[in-house]
Amino acid sequence: MLGLRFFACEACGTVYAAPEEPTDCDRCSDGRLAELAAAARDGAAAYFAPADRDGSS
């Protein structure tokens, strides 16, 4: 079974989950896709986690 990799369009912010890198963004014509694991310290978990991690409001 292939694991999912997460990619985000740098132009519009659309996120894709796929086993292989999509060729381009489906929503905009000039969006470059960046793999979230390579772009964020904690990968996809950092992208989808709440911004307020310490529990304070």
Side-chain angles (χ1 to χ4, degrees):
M1 185 164 113
L2 296 175
L4 288 178
R5 295 166 52 195
F6 295 90
F7 304 89
C9 175
E10 293 179 343
C12 70
T14 300
V15 175
Y16 296 89
E20 298 295 325
E21 183 173 1
T23 56
D24 55 7
C25 181
D26 293 340
R27 295 195 63 172
C28 66
S29 60
D30 57 335
R32 182 180 159 294
L33 299 178
E35 188 167 7
L36 292 178
R41 186 184 76 231
D42 298 326
Y47 185 86
F48 292 107
D52 182 16
R53 293 184 181 192
D54 66 2
S56 62
S57 300

